[in-house]
PDB file of all heavy atoms in Angstrom:
ATOM      1  N   PRO A 230      98.189  77.389 102.496  1.00  0.00           N
ATOM      2  CA  PRO A 230      98.053  75.941 102.501  1.00  0.00           C
ATOM      3  C   PRO A 230      99.181  75.278 103.236  1.00  0.00           C
ATOM      4  O   PRO A 230     100.260  75.841 103.352  1.00  0.00           O
ATOM      5  CB  PRO A 230      98.100  75.557 101.000  1.00  0.00           C
ATOM      6  CG  PRO A 230      98.927  76.688 100.397  1.00  0.00           C
ATOM      7  CD  PRO A 230      98.591  77.892 101.166  1.00  0.00           C
ATOM      8  N   PRO A 231      98.939  74.071 103.798  1.00  0.00           N
ATOM      9  CA  PRO A 231      99.996  73.387 104.496  1.00  0.00           C
ATOM     10  C   PRO A 231     101.109  72.991 103.558  1.00  0.00           C
ATOM     11  O   PRO A 231     100.909  72.742 102.374  1.00  0.00           O
ATOM     12  CB  PRO A 231      99.304  72.123 105.035  1.00  0.00           C
ATOM     13  CG  PRO A 231      98.118  71.937 104.151  1.00  0.00           C
ATOM     14  CD  PRO A 231      97.689  73.298 103.767  1.00  0.00           C
ATOM     15  N   ALA A 232     102.329  72.955 104.090  1.00  0.00           N
ATOM     16  CA  ALA A 232     103.467  72.614 103.263  1.00  0.00           C
ATOM     17  C   ALA A 232     103.390  71.154 102.815  1.00  0.00           C
ATOM     18  O   ALA A 232     103.117  70.257 103.607  1.00  0.00           O
ATOM     19  CB  ALA A 232     104.755  72.874 104.026  1.00  0.00           C
ATOM     20  N   VAL A 233     103.639  70.939 101.559  1.00  0.00           N
ATOM     21  CA  VAL A 233     103.678  69.562 101.041  1.00  0.00           C
ATOM     22  C   VAL A 233     104.969  69.362 100.251  1.00  0.00           C
ATOM     23  O   VAL A 233     105.558  70.312  99.726  1.00  0.00           O
ATOM     24  CB  VAL A 233     102.478  69.279 100.096  1.00  0.00           C
ATOM     25  CG1 VAL A 233     101.174  69.383 100.910  1.00  0.00           C
ATOM     26  CG2 VAL A 233     102.425  70.307  98.967  1.00  0.00           C
ATOM     27  N   GLU A 234     105.357  68.137 100.155  1.00  0.00           N
ATOM     28  CA  GLU A 234     106.575  67.849  99.411  1.00  0.00           C
ATOM     29  C   GLU A 234     106.305  67.988  97.935  1.00  0.00           C
ATOM     30  O   GLU A 234     105.368  67.379  97.402  1.00  0.00           O
ATOM     31  CB  GLU A 234     107.050  66.385  99.714  1.00  0.00           C
ATOM     32  CG  GLU A 234     108.380  66.063  99.059  1.00  0.00           C
ATOM     33  CD  GLU A 234     108.846  64.677  99.451  1.00  0.00           C
ATOM     34  OE1 GLU A 234     108.222  64.089 100.341  1.00  0.00           O
ATOM     35  OE2 GLU A 234     109.838  64.209  98.892  1.00  0.00           O
ATOM     36  N   SER A 235     107.077  68.826  97.264  1.00  0.00           N
ATOM     37  CA  SER A 235     106.816  69.122  95.874  1.00  0.00           C
ATOM     38  C   SER A 235     107.523  68.106  94.996  1.00  0.00           C
ATOM     39  O   SER A 235     108.489  67.470  95.345  1.00  0.00           O
ATOM     40  CB  SER A 235     107.304  70.534  95.536  1.00  0.00           C
ATOM     41  OG  SER A 235     108.651  70.633  95.825  1.00  0.00           O
ATOM     42  N   ALA A 236     106.973  67.981  93.786  1.00  0.00           N
ATOM     43  CA  ALA A 236     107.571  67.086  92.793  1.00  0.00           C
ATOM     44  C   ALA A 236     108.843  67.701  92.254  1.00  0.00           C
ATOM     45  O   ALA A 236     109.083  68.886  92.368  1.00  0.00           O
ATOM     46  CB  ALA A 236     106.592  66.872  91.624  1.00  0.00           C
ATOM     47  N   PRO A 237     109.709  66.896  91.629  1.00  0.00           N
ATOM     48  CA  PRO A 237     110.935  67.464  91.064  1.00  0.00           C
ATOM     49  C   PRO A 237     110.618  68.578  90.041  1.00  0.00           C
ATOM     50  O   PRO A 237     109.699  68.464  89.261  1.00  0.00           O
ATOM     51  CB  PRO A 237     111.566  66.251  90.387  1.00  0.00           C
ATOM     52  CG  PRO A 237     110.975  65.079  91.107  1.00  0.00           C
ATOM     53  CD  PRO A 237     109.577  65.485  91.494  1.00  0.00           C
ATOM     54  N   LYS A 238     111.418  69.628  90.082  1.00  0.00           N
ATOM     55  CA  LYS A 238     111.210  70.752  89.222  1.00  0.00           C
ATOM     56  C   LYS A 238     112.053  70.616  87.967  1.00  0.00           C
ATOM     57  O   LYS A 238     113.224  70.247  88.011  1.00  0.00           O
ATOM     58  CB  LYS A 238     111.569  72.056  89.921  1.00  0.00           C
ATOM     59  CG  LYS A 238     110.923  72.236  91.302  1.00  0.00           C
ATOM     60  CD  LYS A 238     109.413  72.355  91.218  1.00  0.00           C
ATOM     61  CE  LYS A 238     108.824  72.754  92.558  1.00  0.00           C
ATOM     62  NZ  LYS A 238     109.166  71.914  93.670  1.00  0.00           N
ATOM     63  N   GLN A 239     111.439  70.979  86.821  1.00  0.00           N
ATOM     64  CA  GLN A 239     112.228  70.995  85.599  1.00  0.00           C
ATOM     65  C   GLN A 239     112.955  72.325  85.442  1.00  0.00           C
ATOM     66  O   GLN A 239     113.970  72.358  84.759  1.00  0.00           O
ATOM     67  CB  GLN A 239     111.291  70.761  84.384  1.00  0.00           C
ATOM     68  CG  GLN A 239     110.746  69.371  84.324  1.00  0.00           C
ATOM     69  CD  GLN A 239     109.868  69.193  83.095  1.00  0.00           C
ATOM     70  OE1 GLN A 239     108.835  69.839  82.972  1.00  0.00           O
ATOM     71  NE2 GLN A 239     110.246  68.329  82.201  1.00  0.00           N
TER      72      GLN A 239
END
Side-chain angles (χ1 to χ4, degrees):
V233 295
E234 185 176 353
S235 57
K238 310 294 190 306
Q239 289 181 298

